[in-house]
Structures are given as C-alpha cells and as structure tokens.
Amino acid sequence: MLRAAWRGFVGGAWHPAVVRTAYRCRAYPDQAQQQVLARTFGCVRVVWNRTLAERRRRWQQERRGTTYAQTDAALTVMKKDPELVWLNEVSCVPLQQALRHQHGAFRAFFGKRARYPRFKSRHGRQCAHYTRSAFSMREGELRLAKAAGPLALVWSWPEVDVGVLDPTMVIVSKEPDGRWYVTFAVDACEPEPLPAAGRSVGIDLGVTSFLVMSDGKKIANPRHLERRARNLARYQRRLARCQRGSANRAKARAKVARAHRKVRNARADFLHRTTTRLVRGNDLIAIEDLAVQNMVRNRRLARAISDCGWGEFRRQLAYKCQRAGRRLIVTDRWYPSTKTCSACGFLLAGLPLKTRAWRCPSCRTRHDRDLNAAKNILAAGLAAARDHPGDACGADVRHPKTPPVQSAVKQEPQPARAGIPVHQDGE
C-alpha cells in the first residue's frame, strides 16, 4: 500500500523516491507465543480504553483536552498501580503506540476526517504495533520482544527477498475468525512509471453494473455479500441461539467471522483486479465524487451500496495512479453528468432514478443513463487536465462550496462545449 513518497539530494547525490509499503502475510505462532501476544493484546486494549475514558471524563467535567504527554504520564501511573502491575509483563512499545494512535485518532476527529474514537472490544480484531526497538529481523526470522523464539510466517512475495527485508514497523494481529497475521511496513524505492497507454477513460459507478466506462464497456456488480447472505444469516441465527459465554457461542462467532472474511477477501480481490486493469490501460482516469456516507442513509439501498465498496475503489485508484504515474481526476460532486447530453451539452431540468435511458430534446440523441454520465465525466476530466496540465497525479476537481479537503484543482463551470452542461433558455 502506498503511504508516502520523497525524493531529493542526500549527501550530494540524487536519490530516487521512497514509498512506505506494507506486506501482510499469515503468521503461525506457537502456544507460548500466542499466550504472550494475547496478553499484549489485552494490555493494549486496557490502556486504550482507560485512556479514552479519562479523556471523555476530563472533557465532560472540566472542559479541557488531553495532550499526548499527559496520556504518557498516565500510562506510567497505571503501571505502578498494584491492580495493573501485569502491564509490566509485556513490551512497553505496543502500549506507547496505542497512545500515539489514539492521539492521532482524535486529531483526525477534530479535523473532521474520522468519527469519534470508540472503545476496543475483546471480540473484535486484536493488534499490537512493534517499532524497531521491540523486534529484530535477521535472515527472514522475526523475533518479538517478550516472545521466545522466531515467529513462524508464510512469505507470499517471491520477487521480494525476505532475508534482506528491513521493516520500520511490525504489526501482529489476530482476526475474529482466529487467523493470525503479521504486517511489515518498509521503506522501498518507488517503482518506475508505466509506459504511456495513449488512452483516457471516464467511469460512472453504479449498483446494477459496478462501473460503466466511457468507451461503452461495463463491469457487472459481483454482489459478494448478496451471494453469501443466506449462509451468513444461518450462521448468525445459530450464534443468536447460543448461550453467552459458552464454548459453542465462541465457535459460532468464529464461523460468522469466517463467512465475513470470505466476502471481504472476494470483494478486495475484485477491486484490486479492476483498479489494476484500469491503471495499466489508461493514462487519465476520471471518476465522480460520490457522497457515499449520504447515500447509505437510504435503507433500501444501503446494503447494496456498501457491498460495492466504492470508497475502497477510489482509494485504490488514487494510490495506484500515483505509483504508476497516471492522472486521476475526480469531478465535482454537484456536476450533473447524468442529466447532460454528451453530444450537444443540453441540460435536463430533472431525471428520475428509474429512468435508465432518455432522448435529448435538442439533438434527439438517445442516451443510456450510465454511459452518458461516463462520457460527460471523461469530458470534464479532460477539460480539467487541459486547464491544469502541471498538477500531480490524483488531483481532485471539486465544487467551491464543498468542505475543504486536500485538493489540487478547483474547477468553475465550463463554457458551452460538447459534454459540458449548458443551461438552455427556459430551463
């Protein structure tokens, strides 16, 4: 996963860009290591929940915020508490990282980029972050602090030599279905940009068809959750009938988690294949800025929209375009791509969602709703690329009234041209 990049002169020599890359693979800890890691997960969860509770109490009663230095001092006090003396049995690094992550979560919340941080549960995903001081990596063997012996893992990237891997951080996690994973965060050289493909494409996302491209190609929606909904419902009914705290309930919960994992993995595989194919075959990709959070409020379409994974699709396109040297243009959320004639620019006053095809009153061209929108999105993307040729890959085209975000381009309404909306007289 692409995280960050830098390049420049270091020590008088030119160095290529460096990107933060993550490799996630299966881990198979033995019984002793599982006990140590489970104890670490529990300590991380206790530190997170107690710190979060104290933050909330301090704000509600005193109307004062909490700094990271104050949480760090509170952790020292917690370790000296006789009731929490077992916090000293695990590595202190994952505990410190939990405080850093909570501080970052609150900064994202106040920056309106995320919701309010929540308490951690023992039934959800458990993880611990280890920095360089808490692990060693030699000849492909990973050793964690406070854990005896190397951690067994399966490396799935034959083109990368795990023996020379130099990770900056290691994340050990356990999913609700019982599987263990280890993630290596490394600083790697940025790959070379892909050769020019000589093509541009506009994409309109939907539910019936996952996406429609401006050249007329369609990719059907695989509906991963809908295909497994019956089995998932049966497993959930069995879970509801089990007594709380029993071993059978734990087994039923793991079976529900495995069913969700299969859906999640199938969706991720589909999105990766689709985005990779788009990035390799096009120099410029134009998509629309969808308000997914507002769209899922429709209870009739919420599950179908969530099953599509539009947000993850856009995220993958963004970092893959940046890594491959492609341009990603995100058109304005209020751009009327569906109601605009891609042939003459006529703009309809309204177009119900149930209308899947319409004829332009001006030029009498018959349009498929989704294909017409994809053509208009491509036209708007090409116009933005011409107006701002020097912008970096992944530049956004947003409406001036939208909330402030990281945006490289802001485009005003365009003059009359094919594919750009033009209000006609009387409309």
Side-chain angles (χ1 to χ4, degrees):
M1 181 184 300
L2 187 66
R3 293 296 187 188
W6 60 269
R7 56 165 63 88
F9 284 95
V10 179
W14 176 262
H15 290 261
V18 175
V19 295
R20 177 64 57 85
T21 306
Y23 299 96
R24 187 170 186 254
C25 53
R26 288 285 301 275
Y28 298 91
D30 55 29
Q31 287 296 329
Q33 292 172 341
Q34 289 185 21
Q35 293 178 1
V36 172
L37 291 173
R39 192 157 50 244
T40 304
F41 295 155
C43 293
V44 168
R45 188 171 60 249
V46 168
V47 169
W48 175 282
N49 291 342
R50 284 176 174 260
T51 305
L52 180 57
E54 178 60 23
R55 280 179 180 270
R56 297 181 63 176
R57 184 205 64 79
R58 183 184 180 91
W59 174 254
Q60 293 175 357
Q61 297 182 4
E62 305 176 14
R63 289 297 172 181
R64 291 192 300 171
T66 305
T67 64
Y68 171 76
Q70 292 172 334
T71 61
D72 194 19
L75 176 60
T76 304
V77 175
M78 274 191 279
K79 287 186 174 182
K80 296 179 180 180
D81 189 345
E83 297 182 355
L84 302 175
V85 68
W86 36 267
L87 290 176
N88 298 279
E89 298 177 1
V90 302
S91 174
C92 63
V93 173
L95 308 184
Q96 295 284 352
Q97 290 297 317
L99 298 181
R100 291 189 177 94
H101 293 158
Q102 187 174 118
H103 186 67
F106 271 96
R107 285 195 302 177
F109 168 72
F110 290 121
K112 297 183 179 181
R113 301 188 305 272
R115 58 184 175 182
Y116 191 85
R118 297 177 295 177
F119 291 99
K120 292 185 180 293
S121 170
R122 67 178 62 187
H123 300 303
R125 178 178 178 269
Q126 309 294 319
C127 66
H129 293 67
Y130 294 84
T131 56
R132 291 183 184 272
S133 61
F135 73 88
S136 64
M137 189 77 178
R138 296 195 183 107
E139 298 180 355
E141 289 187 349
L142 174 64
R143 297 177 182 269
L144 301 175
K146 302 284 186 174
L151 180 64
L153 55 92
V154 177
W155 189 252
S156 305
W157 292 269
E159 68 277 4
V160 180
D161 186 7
V162 67
V164 298
L165 200 67
D166 185 22
T168 59
M169 179 178 291
V170 170
I171 306 171
V172 181
S173 60
K174 182 183 180 182
E175 298 294 335
D177 59 358
R179 288 191 173 188
W180 294 80
Y181 295 91
V182 58
T183 304
F184 298 95
V186 300
D187 292 332
C189 293
E190 185 179 16
E192 293 292 332
L194 295 178
R199 295 183 58 212
S200 301
V201 67
I203 296 175
D204 178 70
L205 299 176
V207 175
T208 304
S209 296
F210 177 75
L211 63 86
V212 177
M213 291 181 276
S214 55
D215 56 4
K217 297 180 181 179
K218 296 183 179 182
I219 297 180
N221 185 5
R223 301 180 184 270
H224 300 287
L225 182 60
E226 183 178 328
R227 290 189 302 173
R228 300 179 182 270
R230 293 185 61 183
N231 287 339
L232 183 59
R234 184 170 70 253
Y235 296 151
Q236 289 173 333
R237 287 194 298 268
R238 292 178 183 175
L239 175 63
R241 289 194 294 263
C242 294
Q243 184 178 358
R244 292 185 176 274
S246 64
N248 286 337
R249 184 176 178 85
K251 295 178 183 178
R253 185 186 299 113
K255 187 167 291 188
V256 172
R258 284 195 294 270
H260 279 292
R261 183 199 70 215
K262 293 179 181 179
V263 173
R264 183 171 60 251
N265 290 347
R267 184 186 299 117
D269 179 75
F270 167 76
L271 293 177
H272 275 293
R273 290 176 183 270
T274 304
T275 53
T276 300
R277 192 182 308 117
L278 289 171
V279 171
R280 289 178 178 175
N282 300 276
D283 296 327
L284 183 143
I285 302 175
I287 61 175
E288 55 185 335
D289 183 19
L290 295 176
V292 180
Q293 292 185 350
N294 297 335
M295 297 172 71
V296 295
R297 294 175 181 174
N298 185 339
R299 60 181 182 180
R300 295 186 177 181
L301 297 176
R303 183 163 64 177
I305 293 175
S306 300
D307 191 21
C308 291
W310 292 337
E312 176 66 11
F313 174 79
R314 174 173 168 177
R315 187 194 70 84
Q316 291 184 13
L317 270 184
Y319 84 81
K320 290 182 181 181
C321 285
Q322 183 178 357
R323 184 171 59 184
R326 306 303 200 195
R327 292 201 63 180
L328 177 65
I329 304 295
V330 183
T331 61
D332 180 67
R333 181 174 298 178
W334 309 105
Y335 176 65
S337 59
T338 305
K339 301 185 296 182
T340 303
C341 176
S342 58
C344 68
F346 183 88
L347 179 61
L348 292 178
L351 186 64
L353 183 61
K354 63 180 180 180
T355 304
R356 309 311 303 173
W358 58 282
R359 187 178 298 277
C360 177
S362 178
C363 65
R364 307 305 297 172
T365 303
R366 183 172 177 81
H367 296 291
D368 176 85
R369 179 192 185 100
D370 299 330
L371 178 58
N372 177 70
K375 292 179 179 180
N376 287 327
I377 291 172
L378 175 60
L382 293 175
R386 288 192 300 268
D387 295 340
H388 305 273
D391 287 321
C393 301
D396 288 355
V397 182
R398 301 185 62 88
H399 194 274
K401 296 182 179 179
T402 53
V405 296
Q406 293 183 352
S407 179
V409 181
K410 290 188 177 180
Q411 179 181 341
E412 298 295 336
Q414 298 292 319
R417 65 180 67 175
I420 302 299
V422 180
H423 287 276
Q424 303 295 324
D425 294 337
E427 295 294 337

